[in-house]
Amino acid sequence: MKLHSVIKDNILELSVQGIFQSDKEIQQFISQMNKKLTEYVEISFLDARMLPAEVITALKQSQQSGIYKKVTVTVFYRYLASYLAKLDIRHRYISQSVTSLCETSTFKALAIGGSAGSLDKILNIMMTVPKAPIVIFIVQHIVENSVNYLPNLIKDRTTYNVAQVEDGMIVEPGYIYIAPPGFHMLVKGNHIVLSSADKVNYSRPSISLLFESLAEEYKQQLLAILLCGYGADGSSAMQMLKDNKCTVIAEDPADCEAKDMLTNAIQTGKITYKFPLPEMVHYLQRVLNPKANEITATELQIFLTEVNDKYGYNYLNYEKASIKRRINRAMNDLCVYNFTRFREMVLADEEMFEYLFLEFSINVTEFFREPETYKYIKHEILPYLASFPHIKIWSAGCSTGMEPISLAISLAETNLIAKTQIYASDINPFVIEEARNGLYADSLLSKTSDTYLKADGNTNLADYFDINQGIMKVKDTILNKILYFQHSLLNPGSFHEFQLILCRNVLIYFDRKLQEQVFQLFAQSLDLNGFLVLGKSETISNTIPGFVLINKIHNIYQKVM
């Protein structure tokens, strides 16, 4: 971890690169944050997907204590932002690649400007731009008094109508308007205005003049694209486009030999996005025709195989309908409506995969969920386990740790916690880090105290937490009895002999073949006469011998051979 600290204008700016790897680094950060050298603090965690409990607590206290007038926290990864939100820590989330994909407004006009080297780019866009109720305007720098072949070239490559541009004509959706050589083209009051006024940026037609007139006409419903070219045409319009909340895309200068026009525009700082041409084309498809295409079984199988090969997560035997729903939800959230493009993005961008991975990970949990099951375990199973010199329990699919914590509390109340070790696993490394922290919003107490009592709790649930500044931390007497680790239920081979395994509401997302594989793992991992607790909708296959259903209501099995 590297900590950079600087003071500017009464603001302490703390930038944390890398992740915290030692108590010394944690204390270094907290000490620097608490020096009270300024009235304002801005903290940026550049690489962290999770933070240690001590850092989280320090952030919360700094915002609550009033030592500083304002503490701003900036993070760059989705899961950390979600974690801070759950703990009511004020923050700003800046995605490096994901959240910029969606548009909040409906575009009514598309404007394209280009010069040297832009012809093929314009034709490519026109061949691929989806049909939509928009108006398209094109300005390309060509020699005056020459024949403009662009309208005829575009006609053969688009489903839009190509207008024969005349001064004063009405602008209509579904039409393309191309500036004629030697004339500036503007739009005022939904009418085309052609002008032979002086050249702007040595150009007539001028990209800047068209962009400025469209910014006033369409405001935030304008999407403007600037392509290759020499000179600086287009740059002077950037401020007006920004002021009118238009979306502006500049082609990546690396794509062009003639890049001056793009470089000058980008240097204004008013560009919304910078895309290479292929990404620009996909962007237009996303925002102009937002309809997700159907994912075929073959496409899904190939994609899941590629995900497994690249990232090491195997979803091939997950229930296909559930996987498709979650992919479609991720695509809709990101405004990516072409599955082929989504597949390319996930395989090329680790943050995109992380977004999908979190969508695949089901993390619905709470303290003492289904309390009658905990009550049965407490009174019918734990007395049997009391005869063992050492008790080993596995919470498989533990999510953020509320299930193993609930178990540990039950064990503490039956005086068995001292000789028990709880192993808690999940495929999601982020929820494992969250569980290890043992931090939860204190608002959960009011929501779960009743379920704790229904589970036949002996005291007050709050007694098992240290509560401060709106955060409750699991007491060490409970947390230290739980060993959290990342683990996939697809991994072959048992790693302990447990007296009790809980795996609730995980297997419903697996197909039958994968369920049987997991049941084999549980059979190998349980002691003789050990217990397996499943979710209410899950059943052991008849092909797995040696299990007897001992409680149908709570779906609890015992290994008898």
Side-chain angles (χ1 to χ4, degrees):
M1 185 274 290
K2 290 184 179 180
L3 177 64
H4 300 275
S5 173
V6 64
I7 296 177
K8 293 180 181 178
D9 302 324
N10 200 30
I11 300 173
L12 172 61
E13 297 180 2
L14 293 177
S15 175
V16 180
Q17 290 182 301
I19 60 175
F20 292 93
Q21 295 181 317
S22 68
D23 290 339
K24 182 179 178 181
E25 290 179 345
I26 292 171
Q27 293 308 315
Q28 178 189 0
F29 167 78
I30 294 174
S31 174
Q32 189 67 37
M33 185 179 66
N34 290 338
K35 282 185 176 179
K36 189 58 178 72
L37 301 173
T38 60
E39 293 184 322
Y40 301 90
V41 182
E42 293 183 355
I43 306 167
S44 297
F45 296 99
L46 303 178
D47 305 304
R49 286 169 164 83
M50 276 296 293
L51 294 172
E54 297 89 342
V55 173
I56 291 290
T57 303
L59 292 175
K60 182 72 172 181
Q61 290 175 348
S62 69
Q63 290 187 342
Q64 297 280 74
S65 64
I67 295 176
Y68 294 100
K69 288 185 177 180
K70 186 176 182 181
V71 177
T72 302
V73 178
T74 302
V75 299
F76 295 84
Y77 287 95
R78 178 187 172 206
Y79 193 89
L80 180 54
S82 174
Y83 184 40
L84 296 180
K86 284 194 287 187
L87 297 174
D88 197 25
I89 295 175
R90 296 185 301 277
H91 65 282
R92 178 176 57 171
Y93 167 46
I94 301 176
S95 171
Q96 299 179 69
S97 63
V98 173
T99 57
S100 63
L101 299 175
C102 289
E103 288 302 319
T104 56
S105 61
T106 302
F107 295 117
K108 289 188 176 180
L110 169 64
I112 303 172
S115 187
S118 66
L119 176 60
D120 289 343
K121 316 279 179 88
I122 293 172
L123 296 179
N124 190 318
I125 292 171
M126 288 300 99
M127 283 191 296
T128 54
V129 67
K131 189 68 174 178
I134 61 169
V135 190
I136 300 176
F137 302 94
I138 301 175
V139 172
Q140 188 192 28
H141 294 162
I142 59 176
V143 178
E144 294 190 20
N145 302 317
S146 64
V147 178
N148 188 3
Y149 294 104
L150 187 56
N152 288 332
L153 291 172
I154 288 178
K155 276 182 181 178
D156 297 332
R157 291 168 168 82
T158 184
T159 56
Y160 287 81
N161 300 305
V162 179
Q164 185 70 37
V165 176
E166 296 178 0
D167 186 47
M169 70 188 307
I170 298 175
V171 172
E172 298 181 58
Y175 277 80
I176 299 173
Y177 300 89
I178 303 172
F183 289 91
H184 297 303
M185 182 173 71
L186 300 86
V187 177
K188 293 184 178 179
N190 205 41
H191 287 73
I192 296 288
V193 176
L194 296 179
S195 168
S196 56
D198 293 344
K199 293 181 179 181
V200 176
N201 296 316
Y202 307 100
S203 306
R204 190 173 56 217
S206 164
I207 297 171
S208 288
L209 288 185
L210 174 65
F211 282 4
E212 288 172 356
S213 72
L214 295 177
E216 291 185 331
E217 186 79 12
Y218 293 100
K219 300 190 183 301
Q220 72 269 23
Q221 294 177 317
L222 171 67
L223 171 58
I225 294 177
L226 191 63
L227 301 173
C228 302
Y230 292 113
D233 197 15
S235 297
S236 60
M238 293 298 130
Q239 185 63 55
M240 185 174 289
L241 290 166
K242 180 75 172 179
D243 291 343
N244 284 281
K245 300 181 180 179
C246 307
T247 299
V248 184
I249 298 175
E251 185 179 7
D252 190 333
D255 281 2
C256 307
E257 181 177 339
K259 59 185 68 178
D260 295 354
M261 206 160 70
L262 293 167
T263 302
N264 287 321
I266 292 169
Q267 287 176 346
T268 67
K270 311 301 180 184
I271 296 294
T272 312
Y273 307 125
K274 180 183 71 174
F275 287 149
L277 186 67
E279 179 58 37
M280 190 186 301
V281 167
H282 287 300
Y283 176 88
L284 291 174
Q285 292 171 343
R286 290 196 297 269
V287 299
L288 298 180
N289 187 25
K291 293 181 180 179
N293 58 334
E294 180 62 27
I295 306 170
T296 67
T298 301
E299 287 176 326
L300 182 62
Q301 193 74 3
I302 292 172
F303 174 59
L304 296 180
T305 300
E306 292 171 327
V307 165
N308 187 30
D309 291 343
K310 176 154 189 178
Y311 297 109
Y313 286 93
N314 189 344
Y315 299 103
L316 286 163
N317 292 110
Y318 277 50
E319 205 274 321
K320 295 300 186 291
S322 175
I323 285 288
K324 280 188 179 182
R325 282 195 304 272
R326 296 180 186 286
I327 290 175
N328 281 321
R329 186 155 58 203
M331 289 172 64
N332 287 328
D333 287 348
L334 300 170
C335 303
V336 181
Y337 300 105
N338 181 283
F339 177 67
T340 300
R341 177 56 184 153
F342 179 76
R343 169 182 162 270
E344 293 170 355
M345 295 169 75
V346 169
L347 295 174
D349 185 342
E350 187 174 340
E351 189 182 359
M352 287 294 298
F353 169 70
E354 184 177 306
Y355 195 98
L356 182 62
F357 171 77
L358 294 176
E359 188 64 52
F360 283 169
S361 300
I362 315 301
N363 295 306
V364 179
T365 186
E366 62 185 54
F367 293 114
F368 294 95
R369 186 183 184 190
E370 297 173 355
E372 293 299 326
T373 298
Y374 282 96
K375 184 176 180 179
Y376 182 89
I377 292 173
K378 186 174 186 178
H379 293 292
E380 303 298 330
I381 294 180
L382 294 189
Y384 172 79
L385 299 186
S387 63
F388 287 80
H390 186 67
I391 303 170
K392 289 177 292 210
I393 299 174
W394 180 14
S395 170
C398 68
S399 189
T400 57
M402 295 186 190
E403 178 176 271
I405 289 167
S406 301
L407 281 170
I409 290 172
S410 294
L411 287 157
E413 294 182 348
T414 51
N415 298 315
L416 295 176
I417 190 71
K419 66 174 183 176
T420 301
Q421 179 68 64
I422 300 175
Y423 297 80
S425 67
D426 200 283
I427 191 174
N428 186 331
F430 308 122
V431 299
I432 288 296
E433 288 302 313
E434 184 175 341
R436 284 185 182 134
N437 278 351
L439 300 178
Y440 303 92
D442 64 1
S443 58
L444 288 176
L445 278 179
S446 60
K447 297 177 182 178
T448 55
S449 290
D450 286 345
T451 54
Y452 163 72
L453 294 175
K454 290 177 182 177
D456 209 21
N458 294 352
T459 179
N460 190 328
L461 184 59
D463 293 343
Y464 297 99
F465 299 90
D466 295 315
I467 302 174
N468 187 27
Q469 303 284 0
I471 291 180
M472 57 184 196
K473 185 181 188 305
V474 182
K475 288 190 173 180
D476 289 344
T477 53
I478 297 296
L479 196 59
N480 290 344
K481 300 303 293 185
I482 306 170
L483 177 63
Y484 289 105
F485 59 100
Q486 184 186 3
H487 175 265
S488 170
L489 290 173
L490 309 187
N491 292 345
S494 59
F495 51 90
H496 261 300
E497 286 191 348
F498 297 98
Q499 287 80 46
L500 172 63
I501 297 176
L502 291 89
C503 183
R504 300 193 298 161
N505 305 310
V506 176
L507 301 178
I508 54 175
Y509 301 105
F510 298 172
D511 67 12
R512 200 63 190 172
K513 177 182 176 182
L514 186 52
Q515 287 179 3
E516 292 185 1
Q517 180 180 328
V518 174
F519 288 137
Q520 291 281 7
L521 172 64
F522 290 157
Q524 296 167 12
S525 301
L526 268 177
D527 256 345
L528 183 63
N529 298 320
F531 300 91
L532 174 62
V533 184
L534 300 177
K536 294 293 181 66
S537 301
E538 299 162 334
T539 56
I540 291 183
S541 168
N542 292 330
T543 61
I544 309 298
F547 282 100
V548 173
L549 180 64
I550 63 169
N551 188 287
K552 186 175 182 180
I553 295 175
H554 304 302
N555 210 14
I556 298 176
Y557 294 79
Q558 188 171 24
K559 180 181 174 182
V560 295
M561 60 178 290

